[in-house]
Amino acid sequence: TAWLNVDHAVTLDELKGHVVVVDFWTSCCINCIHILPDLKRLESEYANELVIVGVHSAKFSTEGNTAHVRQIVQRYEIDHPVLNDNRLQMWTTYGVQAWPTVILIDPLGKILGDYSGEGVYDSLSPVISTMVNQFDARKAIDRTPIINWILTSWYMAATAIFIALVLSEDTA
């Protein structure tokens, strides 16, 4: 297992106070790719309340290679944390049976349910909205940014480009 777009393993404890969507996907599943715009839309609309964590659970052994998963993450501009679950440990722990499946977790860390298939925006947005309102009324929503995932990804890419430029100037 390896984490992408973050510099450490993400834990549920550090996500307390946020609504969490865990997205189980695999790179060979077109339905998994089809829900990415829905996830981005949710991330945008609930930017201060929602954290999406992707879990790449390979259907075929050739998909489980972290370099392959990294290429897919970059190709589809996935900015949230992604776990390469190449041994299907998380898949088994959460009892997932189909791609794509999303698990919804409330701000206290309780699993509220799951949804399999496409159309996750229409299914999740009203639930997330209600949950944010209810937990906000109890002062259980933490709008403090955990980690700026996009900045982390951008910083890593920019650092690599800078190093490459410096090295190319040294050899010129």
Side-chain angles (χ1 to χ4, degrees):
T1 58
W3 283 90
L4 305 171
N5 292 340
V6 289
D7 61 1
H8 67 283
V10 177
T11 66
L12 279 179
D13 279 344
E14 76 181 285
L15 302 179
K16 289 265 167 95
H18 294 79
V19 176
V20 178
V21 171
V22 182
D23 171 33
F24 287 87
W25 63 286
T26 187
S27 59
C28 74
C29 167
I30 192 64
N31 303 80
C32 297
I33 304 307
H34 285 168
I35 73 166
L36 290 175
D38 285 356
L39 296 176
K40 282 206 181 272
R41 185 173 173 193
L42 289 168
E43 282 178 305
S44 175
E45 290 181 16
Y46 301 98
N48 297 320
E49 301 88 9
L50 174 69
V51 175
I52 295 180
V53 177
V55 179
H56 183 271
S57 303
K59 184 174 185 176
F60 304 107
S61 60
T62 54
E63 291 179 288
N65 178 289
T66 299
H68 167 77
V69 177
R70 184 175 288 110
Q71 287 176 339
I72 299 300
V73 165
Q74 290 171 347
R75 178 183 309 150
Y76 291 104
E77 299 176 351
I78 299 169
D79 295 320
H80 54 257
V82 174
L83 171 66
N84 181 17
D85 185 29
N86 57 3
R87 293 191 183 111
L88 300 178
Q89 293 169 324
M90 293 291 284
W91 172 276
T92 303
T93 298
Y94 281 91
V96 176
Q97 298 180 12
W99 293 277
T101 293
V102 293
I103 308 282
L104 186 61
I105 301 173
D106 76 16
L108 301 178
K110 179 182 175 191
I111 296 173
L112 294 182
D114 61 74
Y115 178 85
S116 295
E118 293 188 40
V120 297
Y121 179 84
D122 292 336
S123 299
L124 292 182
S125 186
V127 177
I128 293 170
S129 178
T130 300
M131 194 181 340
V132 166
N133 290 334
Q134 289 177 351
F135 281 90
D136 206 19
R138 294 192 254 165
K139 304 208 182 307
I141 294 287
D142 180 2
R143 288 185 170 83
T144 306
I146 298 171
I147 292 176
N148 187 337
W149 313 118
I150 297 168
L151 181 60
T152 301
S153 301
W154 176 86
Y155 178 77
M156 288 189 282
T159 301
I161 291 168
F162 177 75
I163 291 170
L165 288 172
V166 169
L167 291 176
S168 68
E169 287 178 7
D170 285 346
T171 58

